[in-house]
Amino acid sequence: MREFHYDTLPNSVIFGRGSVAELGSVMERLGCRRALMLSTPQQAAAASEATGALGDLIVGRFDGATMHTPVEVTERAMAAMSEVGADCVISFGGGSTIGLGKALALRTDVRQIAVPTTYAGSEMTPILGETRDGRKTTQRSARILPEAVIYDLDLTLGLPPAISGTSGINAIAHAVEGLYARDTNPIMQLIAEEGIRALADALPRVVADGGDVVAREDAQYGSWLCGMVLGSVGMALHHKLCHTLAGDFDLPHAETHAIILPHAVAYNAPAIPHAMTILRRALGAEDPVAALSELARAVGAPSALRDLGMPEAGIDSASDHAVENAYWNPRPIERGPIRTLIAQAWAGETASIAAGAAS
Ligand code: NAD
């Protein structure tokens, strides 16, 4: 029998080429008149250019967003926000900038309009990962979810191939784990299947030609769907392992996801027959693990944790850490098999269902 709980996310999404022009009307709908624009230093000019028409609806700009949402940066942004008396933030960028907007909203309940420019999918989730003194903590709260999201593919045309590929695989990972999450439901499985299909099909085309607007649109559509899955259901081995590895060794987030995903699916494969059937359909492949490895290769993602700077000695400590922080997973998390998984990912060995099941 099917038994599930299902809550919809209370946010509003605008999707379409040139839709950043709707920022003013979105602010009006939210009852806002004074926006603080958030971006990374690298995207400050692009953010100004895309939002120039807003005139004095933008009362300040904070371009200090950075990876891992450090609390010190949030505190500086809080000061900037109160100095200009902002009543909303516009988070223009990828998961790092959107994370900063979320951190501000968690503390002040300020309204957020996210304008995502990568495929990571954070804009659709009530989840925030923050770092304090080098330690990352993750939390969920209704306050964290951006009230409005504007997906404008024109803002993704300049996204470099490497970030396009790895942020897209990061989004695919959200949907893959949503297929077998403990609290998954039939709606999320439909959305996950379509999101994986759209992104897996689009990413190689995006990487081959960043100006291919049809591929960019397909990728952004898939990213939205995959983000929605992460926002709605819990995660398992893949996400927890990536957080452990990225946190312990300061590895880059999206690249770590790209390396681990095929290994995590291979590990779980014996315990997730229904999810594997959906994955076969979504990826159009008999062997989803091989298809995910091939996708990572096709978009030029790294394949070995050692190439990201993880030391070999870290295999054992990460295995201990992964087992200590026990969490739900469809297949029990046991040190021996997890060590094998991490060792294979460290060395860049190709993941396979047979190796995952035997480990
Ligand atoms: P990012 O936001 O760190 O951006 C990477 C780089 O790309 C930055 O220098 C940025 O300025 C640049 N960039 C972004 N868009 C660009 C564009 N269109 N053109 C040119 N340059 C552009 O990368 P990301 O992968 O989007 O985000 C990663 C972060 O997001 C991680 O910290 C991760 O933990 C977080 N994340 C959170 C969630 C969640 O639900 N909480 C989900 C996914 C990712």
Side-chain angles (χ1 to χ4, degrees), residues 1-257:
M1 295 301 292
R2 286 197 178 105
E3 284 180 15
F4 56 88
H5 290 202
Y6 174 58
D7 298 312
T8 47
L9 294 172
N11 67 350
S12 146
V13 171
I14 295 178
F15 194 99
R17 198 163 187 189
S19 55
V20 74
E22 296 188 44
L23 261 173
S25 57
V26 171
M27 279 181 66
E28 195 179 330
R29 202 147 30 84
L30 293 174
C32 299
R33 302 239 11 111
R34 302 178 64 79
L36 178 70
M37 172 70 66
L38 306 177
S39 73
T40 59
Q42 296 85 343
Q43 286 187 280
S48 296
E49 196 187 325
T51 56
L54 286 177
D56 58 13
L57 287 177
I58 307 253
V59 293
R61 295 178 188 275
F62 181 86
D63 65 7
T66 186
M67 270 214 309
H68 306 311
T69 326
V71 170
E72 314 80 79
V73 172
T74 302
E75 281 163 2
R76 284 199 283 119
M78 291 267 288
M81 201 170 87
S82 69
E83 196 176 311
V84 297
D87 57 15
C88 67
V89 293
I90 298 174
S91 307
F92 183 100
S96 296
T97 303
I98 291 165
L100 174 60
K102 289 173 161 186
L104 294 170
L106 178 68
R107 288 162 175 78
T108 64
D109 213 10
V110 68
R111 274 150 290 183
Q112 307 167 69
I113 305 171
V115 185
T117 63
T118 71
Y119 302 130
S122 176
E123 64 283 352
M124 288 302 297
T125 82
I127 304 169
L128 168 65
E130 297 190 282
T131 39
R132 183 188 295 275
D133 302 329
R135 279 190 65 90
K136 188 161 181 171
T137 53
T138 302
Q139 56 190 307
R140 266 183 194 258
S141 156
R143 278 186 170 205
I144 291 172
L145 181 72
E147 278 76 6
V149 183
I150 296 181
Y151 287 102
D152 181 343
L153 84 85
D154 285 338
L155 305 177
T156 65
L157 292 175
L159 185 64
I163 309 176
S164 298
T166 52
S167 70
I169 292 181
N170 183 194
I172 288 177
H174 307 331
V176 168
E177 288 232 297
L179 290 175
Y180 55 74
R182 181 164 39 176
D183 55 352
T184 192
N185 61 64
I187 304 259
M188 280 308 128
Q189 291 184 331
L190 281 173
I191 294 175
E193 178 173 348
E194 174 67 352
I196 295 165
R197 186 204 60 72
L199 260 172
D201 182 59
L203 288 178
R205 291 184 283 134
V206 161
V207 168
D209 176 6
D212 178 340
V213 292
V214 177
R216 286 287 189 190
E217 183 185 322
D218 291 345
Q220 203 171 32
Y221 164 68
S223 148
W224 166 53
L225 296 176
C226 292
M228 208 188 297
V229 176
L230 178 65
S232 303
V233 296
M235 295 291 121
L237 175 67
H238 170 80
H239 280 75
K240 301 293 169 73
L241 205 48
C242 288
H243 286 168
T244 300
L245 291 164
D248 285 359
F249 308 107
D250 198 22
L251 308 182
H253 175 91
E255 288 84 344
T256 306
H257 275 265

